[in-house]
Amino acid sequence: MDHLTQIARRNFLKSAAALGAGAILPMTSAVASSPVSAAADDLMVIGPREGYSPQIGTLVSMLGYMRSAVLNFSNGLTQEQLDYLFDDDANSIGAMLLHLAATEKFYQINTFEGREGFNNTEKKMWEAPMSLGDLGRKNIKGHDMDYYVSILTEVRAETLEVLKTKDDDWLMAVDPQWSTAERSINTYWKWFHVCEHESNHGGQIKFLRSRIK
């Protein structure tokens, strides 16, 4: 082992020992205890947002990033492309975009109003996109991208407005109706599910776009 290698190895071991002893804890603690709220358009910063409690703001940042990704996957598609069916059992990209709005609307009425389902008036708008399948293929078609973006934006605006009135205790609260003896479910999980649900269908949208003839 040459002299330079020995020095490098000693420096590495000293750094590792310092990390193991918690030498960086004061810096980490200072950062953790003083979160800075990012601007609403800082998509690559996950964390608190101004106007929201810390955990809700972090949720809002995740929702915002995922929505941006989904819209990027579907940006520029024509009506024909939005209606394209990969096979007889597939959902169209347009139907999946509306499905995302329907899912978010459901969690709005569930977590904001305490209801477990759409009322008769809401079903007229949301039953087909919530169900998809044959009902979606029959009813969700003939719309351009602006139509879907408008609905997604309207639903999201309501979500963001109401979340400003909530706090972290509300977000962390466990729902006794949804929980069982083996598994608890809280409000945070419900809204995280809205986010990961968009990620799931975003991947499907990306795949379908690559297969449009």
Side-chain angles (χ1 to χ4, degrees), residues 191-211:
W191 280 100
F192 176 76
H193 174 63
V194 173
C195 186
E196 62 95 13
H197 178 256
E198 292 210 7
S199 176
N200 177 46
H201 285 295
Q204 293 178 330
I205 289 170
K206 189 175 182 180
F207 168 80
L208 288 174
R209 180 169 189 155
S210 71
R211 293 299 186 270

Side-chain angles (χ1 to χ4, degrees), residues 19-182:
L19 288 171
I24 64 167
L25 284 179
M27 182 184 297
T28 305
S29 297
V31 173
S33 62
S34 304
V36 177
S37 295
D41 57 354
D42 287 339
L43 290 175
M44 304 299 283
V45 176
I46 299 299
R49 290 291 187 270
E50 186 176 352
Y52 300 93
S53 63
Q55 289 293 336
I56 290 180
T58 300
L59 168 68
V60 166
S61 71
M62 292 188 285
L63 290 170
Y65 175 81
M66 200 62 251
R67 175 58 56 80
S68 175
V70 168
L71 293 180
N72 281 337
F73 295 153
S74 49
N75 184 44
L77 293 176
T78 65
Q79 179 187 315
E80 183 180 10
Q81 292 169 324
L82 289 165
D83 291 345
Y84 172 75
L85 293 173
F86 181 68
D87 58 35
D88 291 341
D89 295 317
N91 297 300
S92 70
I93 292 176
M96 280 193 285
L97 290 172
L98 209 54
H99 176 66
L100 297 182
T103 301
E104 184 167 349
K105 176 58 71 172
F106 169 77
Y107 280 98
Q108 283 181 359
I109 67 170
N110 178 254
T111 64
F112 298 161
E113 303 177 34
R115 291 192 280 130
E116 294 296 325
F118 296 122
N119 60 36
N120 290 335
T121 299
E122 291 164 340
K123 283 180 180 179
K124 294 176 182 178
M125 173 66 186
W126 300 115
E127 187 173 24
M130 197 69 181
S131 302
L132 293 178
D134 289 337
L135 194 60
R137 284 186 286 272
K138 178 182 178 181
N139 293 283
I140 307 173
K141 53 188 174 182
H143 307 294
D144 60 15
M145 190 62 191
D146 286 344
Y147 171 84
Y148 297 109
V149 171
S150 176
I151 293 174
L152 284 163
T153 301
E154 181 180 348
V155 173
R156 178 56 52 85
E158 182 179 350
T159 295
L160 297 179
E161 194 61 32
V162 176
L163 287 178
K164 289 179 180 178
T165 70
K166 305 297 184 181
D167 59 22
D168 288 352
D169 289 340
W170 171 85
L171 190 66
M172 298 299 180
V174 170
D175 183 347
Q177 243 182 314
W178 283 36
S179 299
T180 65
E182 296 78 26

Side-chain angles (χ1 to χ4, degrees), residues 183-197:
R183 182 188 65 189
S184 296
I185 295 177
N186 68 351
T187 309
Y188 208 152
W189 178 87
K190 292 180 181 182
W191 280 100
F192 176 76
H193 174 63
V194 173
C195 186
E196 62 95 13
H197 178 256

